[in-house]
Amino acid sequence: MRLSTQERTCLFIDGANLYAATRSLGFDIDYRKLLDFFSTQTNLLRAYYYSALLETEEYSPLKPLTDWLAYNGYSLVTKPAKEFTDALGRRRVKGNMDIELAIDMLELAPNLDHAILFSGDSDFRRLVEAMQRKGVRVSVVSSIRTSPPMIADELRRQTDQFIELADIAEHFSRRHQDTRSRVEREDEE
């Protein structure tokens, strides 16, 4: 992993994608430790966390996390999630934050040397390419150790540096569990 304290760096965290990756790998993130880790490894200007929130519920399980992040050094970017019923009558929630993340990253490009994206979504490949054209180095944090891999192959090929989430989890996980994917653990049993 190539990180430098000389590079002006921002973190861009796709909350839903990171949550899915950490669940699949079997650990929870300590967001204070995550911020501390990247603050010591880079010249961290800001850490953005993106999440859609369902406003129709009286209590959202995301609310304590988003409140904590907002008061503890993260720039929180949220929008209301949309609730709908699909063709089979199932309740669905849609809350994509890709556009918000892409706009923020592109707007910050003139002030950055390095953008670190926490997502494996293939939709971000063009964003990574655009940032690179602006002279910004882009690292992507996700996982290929999950089954299926959490990072799209086209995004992994475009990035300047792919960082395997499981390899750095020890620096900011709440529980130091076995960070191999559930499938890998079951295969050994």
Side-chain angles (χ1 to χ4, degrees), residues 2-32:
R2 296 179 343 262
L3 298 175
S4 169
T5 56
Q6 304 305 306
E7 291 181 319
R8 296 169 300 163
T9 304
C10 278
L11 306 181
F12 298 89
I13 302 169
D14 175 348
N17 196 284
L18 181 58
Y19 177 79
T22 59
R23 281 286 161 227
S24 187
L25 289 168
F27 72 93
D28 292 326
I29 289 186
D30 180 324
Y31 284 95
R32 183 181 314 276

Side-chain angles (χ1 to χ4, degrees), residues 20-21 24-25 142-152 181-183:
S24 187
L25 289 168
S142 189
S143 185
I144 58 172
R145 294 193 188 157
T146 58
S147 183
M150 290 298 297
I151 186 166
S181 74
R182 180 176 30 85
V183 173

Side-chain angles (χ1 to χ4, degrees), residues 47-151:
Y48 291 90
Y49 185 93
Y50 298 84
S51 181
L53 301 173
L54 191 57
E55 293 181 342
T56 59
E57 297 177 7
E58 287 182 27
Y59 173 79
S60 166
L62 277 178
K63 188 72 173 137
L65 172 64
T66 56
D67 284 348
W68 187 91
L69 292 170
Y71 286 108
N72 288 279
Y74 286 83
S75 294
L76 186 63
V77 182
T78 64
K79 73 176 179 184
K82 308 256 191 258
E83 187 176 6
F84 66 97
T85 304
D86 70 10
L88 299 174
R90 295 177 295 199
R91 179 178 167 249
R92 298 286 186 191
V93 176
K94 182 178 180 180
N96 192 318
M97 297 296 294
D98 292 0
I99 296 297
E100 290 79 1
L101 191 152
I103 289 170
D104 289 349
M105 192 182 285
L106 287 168
E107 284 181 345
L108 287 165
N111 303 310
L112 294 180
D113 300 309
H114 190 186
I116 301 176
L117 172 64
F118 286 75
S119 183
D121 191 334
S122 65
D123 292 342
F124 289 125
R125 190 202 66 78
R126 288 280 292 150
L127 171 62
V128 170
E129 182 181 37
M131 292 295 285
Q132 290 167 331
R133 284 193 308 268
K134 293 177 177 295
V136 177
R137 189 164 77 91
V138 182
S139 295
V140 172
V141 179
S142 189
S143 185
I144 58 172
R145 294 193 188 157
T146 58
S147 183
M150 290 298 297
I151 186 166

